[in-house]
Amino acid sequence: RAKQHGRNNFQFYSPEINQRARERLLLENALRRALGREEFVLHYQPRVDLRTGRVIGAEALLRWRHPDLGLVPPGEFVAILEETGIIIQVGEWVLREACRQNRSWQDLGLPPVRMAVNLSARQFMQKDLAGMVGLTLAETRLAPEWLELEITEEVLLEHNAANASTLERLRDLGVHIAIDDFGTGYSSLSYLKRLPIHTLKIDQSFVRDITLDSDGAAIVSAIIAMACNLRLNVLAEGVETEAQLSFLRAQGCNEIQGYSFSYPLPAQEFERLLRDGRSMHVLQGLAGYYVN
Ligand code: C2E
Ligand code: MG
Ligand code: MG
Ligand code: MG
């Protein structure tokens, strides 16, 4: 029970708030221990080349395998990792694990894929990020071209010289940079010509609207046209339907990622998919496709 007086007591003591603060603290502590207990796992969602139908990439997506709660999606805990700074350590683990896994698939002789890893703004601003990435690549013996780092427009929001120089150092290493959730960040587009960006990932909210209304379709085709003119690779996220897929193909979108081809998969299942050479068959000239 909070003391009535004293420096650190809560002015507006409420059992309900107290209960929530306690739960939050429990969650934080569990997250702090999760890395050491090897409770984090990565799932891998295929990225498909729309021209060939082939799997050419993967996005590593973090999951927390909690002993009681089961498999917890990142939406439930990544924000807490960011607020507490635990994301720095966990992020290093994610990067290392994704690179290690990718290299191990290459060692097995499987078709090479580019591995995408998400970086939160907080991670991006950590000291010597590029040095850490370079070291991780060297230690896992992964060639830099097989790594793509996904950042959000948030990182580029301010005209931030430190961030620009981090991007340049990453480019010099040879890794690719993607803008995740493109179009949702309220940032100016001028960074696209100033900074070394390889890929735009169109946010799934726009992809969802493609077949909902003509404005939705107009936005997506404008992004694809702009990316094409700037010679940027463009990927549509969250592609769920055949109609979205045909639209994106017709507009010349380079890659897709979404449930229409595959959910994010545990490492073993992704490996099987690569080994079987599973691809999205694209019927030339027709607006249809089927999944093998
Ligand atoms: P994101 O990077 O934009 O990842 C795409 C999210 O969309 C993933 O959710 C993926 O499972 C989901 N998705 C893929 N295809 C479809 C589809 O067809 N329909 C729908 N409705 N959703 C689809 P997930 O795995 O729950 O991740 C959510 C977010 O958590 C990610 O969004 C990313 O911002 C963050 N996150 C995940 N892993 C990491 C990580 O290792 N580090 C950091 N910093 N953030 C991560
Ligand atoms: Mg992402
Ligand atoms: Mg996204
Ligand atoms: Mg996101």
Side-chain angles (χ1 to χ4, degrees):
R1 187 173 184 269
K3 285 190 201 133
Q4 294 302 306
H5 305 286
R7 265 176 3 113
N8 295 323
N9 73 347
F10 295 110
Q11 195 136 19
F12 305 103
Y13 176 85
S14 133
E16 195 184 311
I17 288 174
N18 201 38
Q19 174 62 23
R20 255 201 272 145
R22 214 195 328 260
E23 278 167 12
R24 160 75 191 224
L25 202 61
L26 283 174
L27 196 55
E28 263 184 51
N29 288 334
L31 282 167
R32 278 181 214 285
R33 288 189 302 261
L35 200 55
R37 293 185 174 178
E38 300 183 12
E39 290 172 355
F40 288 120
V41 285
L42 295 182
H43 282 188
Y44 301 92
Q45 187 175 36
R47 288 167 58 153
V48 180
D49 183 326
L50 260 189
R51 262 182 317 111
T52 62
R54 290 218 181 85
V55 175
I56 53 168
E59 178 174 6
L61 294 158
L62 184 61
R63 273 95 184 88
W64 181 19
R65 205 160 38 198
H66 187 277
D68 305 324
L69 303 173
L71 203 64
V72 186
E76 314 248 329
F77 64 88
V78 163
I80 301 175
L81 293 180
E82 285 166 4
E83 285 159 28
T84 53
I86 311 172
I87 192 69
I88 300 297
Q89 267 191 306
V90 174
E92 287 193 22
W93 176 83
V94 169
L95 181 70
R96 177 171 307 266
E97 177 59 13
C99 291
R100 184 203 62 74
Q101 182 63 77
N102 202 19
R103 173 66 203 214
S104 121
W105 285 330
Q106 293 183 1
D107 286 343
L108 289 169
L110 295 168
V113 291
R114 180 167 288 129
M115 180 67 74
V117 173
N118 292 283
L119 291 185
S120 67
R122 178 125 185 202
Q123 288 174 272
F124 192 83
M125 289 166 211
Q126 81 188 77
K127 202 171 143 278
D128 198 22
L129 173 74
M132 189 275 283
V133 171
L135 200 64
T136 305
L137 287 168
E139 285 172 3
T140 58
R141 298 175 300 115
L142 184 71
E145 63 189 289
W146 300 112
L147 177 64
E148 184 158 282
L149 299 175
E150 295 191 3
I151 59 176
T152 52
E153 288 168 279
E154 193 189 344
V155 169
L156 312 163
L157 210 57
E158 302 133 60
H159 201 85
N160 187 326
N163 288 348
S165 101
T166 299
L167 279 177
E168 273 147 25
R169 286 189 61 203
L170 289 168
R171 186 255 329 265
D172 293 346
L173 276 179
V175 306
H176 283 205
I177 304 289
I179 305 297
D180 203 354
D181 308 337
F182 181 76
T184 60
Y186 307 104
S187 71
S188 128
L189 292 175
S190 67
Y191 69 82
L192 290 176
K193 55 179 188 183
R194 279 189 291 113
L195 299 173
I197 309 291
H198 296 85
T199 302
L200 298 186
K201 298 188 75 175
I202 306 174
D203 190 68
Q204 51 192 53
S205 60
F206 299 116
V207 175
R208 200 177 308 130
D209 289 351
I210 285 175
T211 44
L212 239 55
D213 53 57
S214 58
D215 292 349
I219 290 175
V220 169
S221 47
I223 296 175
I224 294 170
M226 178 186 70
C228 180
N229 287 324
L230 291 169
R231 281 178 221 82
L232 293 169
N233 185 41
V234 60
L235 176 149
E237 289 195 280
V239 179
E240 293 183 351
T241 69
E242 189 165 345
Q244 292 165 349
L245 209 48
S246 4
F247 178 84
L248 291 161
R249 276 202 65 219
Q251 299 299 312
C253 186
N254 303 117
E255 293 179 48
I256 63 109
Q257 196 182 323
Y259 298 165
S260 65
F261 181 73
S262 171
Y263 293 102
L265 303 169
Q268 274 196 342
E269 284 176 44
F270 188 90
E271 182 176 321
R272 195 177 322 140
L273 176 145
L274 278 184
R275 182 167 287 124
D276 296 349
R278 214 187 106 194
S279 60
M280 187 173 74
H281 285 227
V282 191
L283 304 179
Q284 288 299 328
L286 293 174
Y289 79 102
Y290 62 94
V291 172
N292 188 0

